[in-house]
Amino acid sequence: MLSDNIQRNEDGSLSFAGHNVPALARQFGTPLYLMDEERIRANCRMYIQAFRDNFGDAALPLYAGKAASFKQIYRIVGQEGMGVDAVSPGEIHTALSAGFPPEKIYYHGDAKTDEDIRYGVSKGVGWFIVDNEAELQQLNIEAERQGVVQKVLLRITPGIDPHTYHSISTGTVDVKFGVALETGQGFAFVHQALTMEHLDVQGLHCHVGSEVFDESVFEDTIDIMVDFISLLQQKLGYVTRVLNVGGGYGVRYLDTDKQIDIPARIAHVAEHLKQRTGEAGLPLPFFLMEPGRSIVADAGMTVYTVSTVKRIPGYKRYAIVDGGMTDNPRYCLYKAPYTVLNADRDTMFYAVYDLAGRCCESGDIIQPAVKLPDDTRRGDHIAVCTTGAYNYSMASNYNRLGRPPIVMLTKDSSYVAVRRETLDDLCALDN
Ligand SMILES: *Cc1c(COP(=O)(O)O)cnc(C)c1O
């Protein structure tokens, strides 16, 4: 199986996190998001432990809330000792409503409005990750107005493409996030930030991308950042106390995907950072990473019920289910791969289907060309694996479809962390 929390029982039905999937579908209805709480906790502990082993107390993993943002997830990651990376007042509000401590929130975003900045400062958000000069100026004004000195990290674009990391292509300078090093703007950005009286410039942030599988992406990033940190020290006498290298470790969506040994990777990254800062005569900065996907992806599964199977002789078959691009837009957005299983039964006799949704869009495909039993039919339960990241958080109400609930699975029970949206919820904002 794709992940060790997914099992096929003797009667052919599927289990997830030790719970029978068809039984959960009957109990809670479909479409249904399931989340394995123990797996989320185990993924947090993997980062926490690896950070402690390699950095002692001088490091903190932050959960990137955009992967899946709802109150219970903040309680869980908070209990495990993680910080949180947030990108909007909505995410911050969700975390604070769950009792998450504001001083452990790192506020990202490339388009923070004056109102967003005011909100973040007034809520005591510990850290702003400042994306650009306009934000820098406004944040300084707002911090002065509220009589605080705001801790910040400055977002730098190191110019690394995580998928062709050895060619440091200029193409990757051309992104909307952060300030580029290559053009000299990164240096000017730091220089300017240091003149801001109401900002405490603690260090630097960079994030090279998502679904990182290549071995040395973070090491190459560190090489560039340490050179820059050195330059800042020589030219400005500025000591970088915090370095945040972003998120991005990839997960397995298909059996053919590599399994990344994250603790081993972190050990290697730590060793590299210590070596490079040592060579440059720099103090080791406090180290941050922002994993999102690798905390929640393999803790998730989506369950649907087949509405109909459409066979077009000479073409193909569609298995059409009661959810779709509204609860999982990732194939539509970027051809994301997923493993799809019939949750009720296994068979020797398979056929190939496009798994399609219920939305009024021909492109509403959850996954094309999946192998499902030849006799897949109305009423069958279909499981899409590894949907814990960027599914619920990207869900929409297109076609006025209500978002599915999130049901958390623990060792011996299950509970609703987010309830299903009702028809009345869908009209709740309408006058
Ligand atoms: C998306 C994002 C992350 C999380 O990335 P994952 O691939 O989910 O680990 C972390 N930091 C920043 C700045 C991001 O944009």
Side-chain angles (χ1 to χ4, degrees):
M1 274 293 175
L2 185 63
S3 172
D4 60 10
N5 55 2
I6 306 171
Q7 254 129 35
R8 191 61 87 175
N9 302 314
E10 256 167 42
D11 68 354
S13 66
L14 206 63
S15 275
F16 184 56
H19 294 254
N20 186 270
V21 173
L24 290 166
R26 282 189 292 273
Q27 185 181 350
F28 294 102
T30 60
L32 172 64
Y33 293 120
L34 298 174
M35 288 201 100
D36 175 354
E37 181 174 329
E38 293 306 316
R39 177 54 54 97
I40 299 169
R41 290 184 184 279
N43 289 338
C44 291
R45 285 174 200 162
M46 167 180 75
Y47 275 96
I48 293 275
Q49 190 61 45
F51 274 47
R52 195 167 293 148
D53 290 348
N54 292 285
F55 294 99
D57 289 336
L60 180 68
L62 313 176
Y63 167 61
K66 72 178 192 206
S69 181
F70 53 95
K71 281 160 78 171
Q72 183 63 1
I73 202 102
Y74 292 108
R75 296 188 191 108
I76 293 171
V77 302
Q79 285 161 7
E80 297 302 333
M82 308 269 290
V84 152
D85 148 349
V87 298
S88 67
E91 285 188 5
I92 293 169
H93 178 71
T94 308
L96 295 178
S97 303
F100 196 86
E103 63 276 10
K104 285 176 87 173
I105 296 178
Y106 291 68
Y107 186 11
H108 271 280
D110 60 327
K112 298 183 189 88
T113 64
D114 291 1
E115 213 179 340
D116 295 344
I117 291 170
R118 188 172 317 132
Y119 174 83
V121 175
S122 73
K123 293 295 171 185
V125 163
W127 304 74
F128 271 67
I129 298 183
V130 180
D131 182 89
N132 54 65
E133 205 182 302
E135 180 188 341
L136 191 67
Q137 306 224 5
Q138 186 58 32
L139 181 59
N140 191 48
I141 291 168
E142 190 58 42
E144 176 171 24
R145 184 179 295 146
Q146 296 194 31
V148 297
V149 174
Q150 179 64 51
K151 278 188 290 195
V152 303
L153 301 181
L154 303 175
R155 181 159 181 171
I156 296 295
T157 312
I160 283 198
D161 179 340
H163 304 291
T164 56
Y165 63 91
H166 32 303
S167 66
I168 294 160
S169 75
T170 50
T172 55
V173 171
D174 182 16
V175 291
K176 69 171 188 152
F177 295 108
V179 182
L181 281 190
E182 191 184 290
T183 55
Q185 289 164 297
F187 183 83
F189 186 40
V190 178
H191 198 180
Q192 188 185 15
L194 293 174
T195 67
M196 304 276 172
E197 273 180 45
H198 305 280
L199 304 183
D200 173 8
V201 183
Q202 289 269 331
L204 306 175
H205 170 276
C206 56
H207 170 75
V208 296
S210 215
E211 303 207 49
V212 171
F213 283 96
D214 289 320
E215 280 282 349
S216 58
V217 170
F218 286 105
E219 286 79 352
D220 287 2
T221 305
I222 283 169
D223 286 346
I224 293 173
M225 294 305 282
V226 169
D227 286 347
F228 184 56
I229 290 168
S230 249
L231 180 80
L232 294 175
Q233 186 162 38
Q234 283 158 27
K235 295 257 163 100
L236 303 174
Y238 174 68
V239 179
T240 301
R241 280 157 286 166
V242 178
L243 177 63
N244 182 337
V245 298
Y249 282 126
V251 301
R252 296 179 76 223
Y253 286 106
L254 304 175
D255 282 323
T256 48
D257 289 337
K258 273 199 287 201
Q259 175 84 51
I260 296 187
D261 182 348
I262 290 174
R265 294 284 183 101
I266 290 169
H268 200 264
V269 166
E271 193 186 318
H272 192 77
L273 179 63
K274 288 174 190 170
Q275 190 192 332
R276 289 301 320 272
T277 49
E279 285 164 9
L282 296 166
L284 186 65
F286 190 95
F287 184 74
L288 300 166
M289 261 189 177
E290 303 165 332
R293 191 185 312 271
S294 54
I295 299 291
V296 287
D298 68 352
M301 174 182 278
T302 308
V303 192
Y304 303 100
T305 304
V306 174
S307 297
T308 188
V309 170
K310 175 172 175 168
R311 293 185 173 82
I312 315 172
Y315 292 88
K316 64 173 139 180
R317 299 185 190 192
Y318 288 92
I320 304 178
V321 296
D322 55 356
M325 62 192 288
T326 38
D327 58 77
N328 184 355
R330 292 191 69 253
Y331 178 76
C332 298
L333 274 175
Y334 25 65
K335 304 277 177 281
Y338 281 101
T339 297
V340 177
L341 303 166
N342 184 307
D344 301 320
R345 59 208 148 77
D346 207 4
T347 175
M348 307 266 287
F349 306 102
Y350 285 99
V352 174
Y353 300 78
D354 277 9
L355 185 69
R358 63 179 295 171
C359 300
C360 298
E361 286 283 336
S362 310
D364 175 23
I365 300 292
I366 299 167
Q367 195 63 205
V370 298
K371 261 175 64 185
L372 289 170
D374 186 55
D375 62 349
T376 293
R377 55 190 178 256
R378 181 174 173 89
D380 279 0
H381 295 116
I382 301 294
V384 178
C385 304
T386 333
T387 57
Y390 305 108
N391 274 237
Y392 171 71
S393 62
M394 286 187 161
S396 77
N397 290 126
Y398 181 54
N399 288 177
R400 284 246 146 166
L401 295 171
R403 276 174 277 242
I406 300 175
V407 169
M408 283 279 174
L409 306 174
T410 63
K411 240 186 221 115
D412 32 42
S413 73
S414 56
Y415 65 95
V416 177
V418 179
R419 71 161 170 78
R420 185 181 298 283
E421 273 177 344
T422 64
L423 294 176
D424 284 337
D425 287 334
L426 294 167
C427 291
L429 306 180
D430 299 15
N431 286 320

